[in-house]
Each structure stands twice: as C-alpha cells, then as structure tokens.
Amino acid sequence: MRKFVPAAVACTLLLAAAPAQADVVSFTGSVSGSSFLLGPAPPECAPLPYQTHIDPATTVGHSDTFGDFHLSTFTCIALGGGTSFGTFTIDFFEVGDQFSGSFNGGSTPITSTLSSTDWLFTITGGTGRFGGASGIFEGTGTADTTTRPTHVVINFGPPVPEPATWALMLLGLGGIGFVLRRRPQLSVGQIA
C-alpha cells in the first residue's frame, strides 16, 4: 500500500495541473460583417444604455474545422468603448447545424473611428452536429465606425488561460516533481 501512495499523489497532482476548461467544441475561425446600432437597450442590458446587432445576412465566416458560417449577435454596449455583453448564434451552411450562447468582454478605442474588441464566448447549446454543445472560445478583432453600419472583423480561437490557471498547472507539475524526487532510490545491492 505504501508503494502506491506516491503514485496516487502524483496522479492527483497531474490531474490538478490540467487546464480547468470544458471544451467540448473547440472553435476557431474568422468572420467579417456589419453591426447595426438598434438604439436604446432593452432592460436586460442594464446598466448599459445601447444595443447593437450583427446581422447574419451581412456576415461571411469560415472555420477550417467546421466550414462556412454566419454570425448573429445582440450586444449591450456603451458608446465609446468599455464593457459589453450579449448573445450570439453561429449558424453553419448545413441546415440545422448551429450553436449559440452568451459572451462578455469589451472594446478599447484605438483611434476616433477604430476600436479593438475582445470577448469570451460561452456555448450553451446547439442543434444538428452541435446538439448539446458546450465550450468556450475567445473572439478578438476590430470595429470600424468610419462607415455606417459599423464594419466588424472577429477572429475566434481558444481562450488564453487566466494567471490562476497557469499557477495551478505549475503547482501541479512542481508537486509531481517533488513526489518523484522524494521516492526512495534503489541501490545496486538491493537490485541484485
């Protein structure tokens, strides 16, 4: 039994070192399209005063893994940048294949007409080949208000781990090294 304790501790620490994410759908791709200001926000946007909509008919998106798609969003915003949140649907060209969920993040002005955007998307469901889907992915890009409607470009990919996740992984790997280093070493006389 004593021989199995270090191995059990090492396995537990290895599992603790794994990233704490449930990526059932690992989504990557990019999209461009138009975002329309809808006007004053509905109550679910409080405290943000405005709402925008990316019309799926204006979007062109592609994922090397899943194929071509359209993006639809309803985003609660404050004009001029800052925090934003909303809902999304990614609808693939194959009938009935889509997933949807919520996102949050925000935008940061670069110039008077260009902002960088960064959101974390959470998949809460899907249909077709994405039935019961879940997972998270990041969307970074730009919003250009030079023309109306606003032109948006978003690149999707795996989220960057939080510093706490990195710390947990390092702690787990350090613990494994500690347990393995403390294991008694067999001498040549014990082997023969």
Side-chain angles (χ1 to χ4, degrees):
M1 179 73 173
R2 290 185 111 204
K3 292 180 180 180
F4 296 108
V5 171
V9 170
C11 287
T12 302
L13 291 171
L14 183 60
L15 291 173
Q21 298 175 4
D23 284 332
V24 175
V25 174
S26 181
F27 182 66
T28 59
S30 62
V31 67
S32 65
S34 298
S35 176
F36 299 85
L37 180 64
L38 297 178
E44 59 267 19
C45 284
L48 298 177
Y50 298 101
Q51 187 175 45
T52 63
H53 172 58
I54 294 178
D55 183 354
T58 70
T59 63
V60 177
H62 180 74
S63 167
D64 287 340
T65 308
F66 300 116
D68 295 330
F69 63 89
H70 293 293
L71 170 68
S72 174
T73 66
F74 287 94
T75 309
C76 303
I77 66 164
L79 297 181
T83 301
S84 60
F85 60 89
T87 60
F88 75 94
T89 299
I90 292 182
D91 190 3
F92 294 87
F93 290 180
E94 296 177 31
V95 176
D97 280 354
Q98 68 177 28
F99 57 82
S100 58
S102 62
F103 64 92
N104 61 58
S107 63
T108 304
I110 298 171
T111 67
S112 61
T113 59
L114 186 66
S115 295
S116 66
T117 59
D118 190 1
W119 294 293
L120 187 63
F121 290 78
T122 302
I123 301 170
T124 57
T127 60
R129 62 183 158 155
F130 301 105
S134 67
I136 58 173
F137 57 95
E138 188 171 25
T140 59
T142 58
D144 185 353
T145 61
T146 304
T147 61
R148 294 290 184 201
T150 299
H151 180 71
V152 294
V153 175
I154 307 170
N155 297 304
F156 301 109
V160 176
E162 296 289 325
T165 302
W166 282 110
L168 184 61
M169 288 190 295
L170 290 173
L171 180 65
L173 291 173
I176 291 169
F178 178 76
V179 167
L180 293 176
R181 189 159 192 261
R182 292 206 37 152
R183 292 178 75 186
Q185 299 296 319
L186 296 176
S187 66
V188 176
Q190 290 174 319
I191 296 173

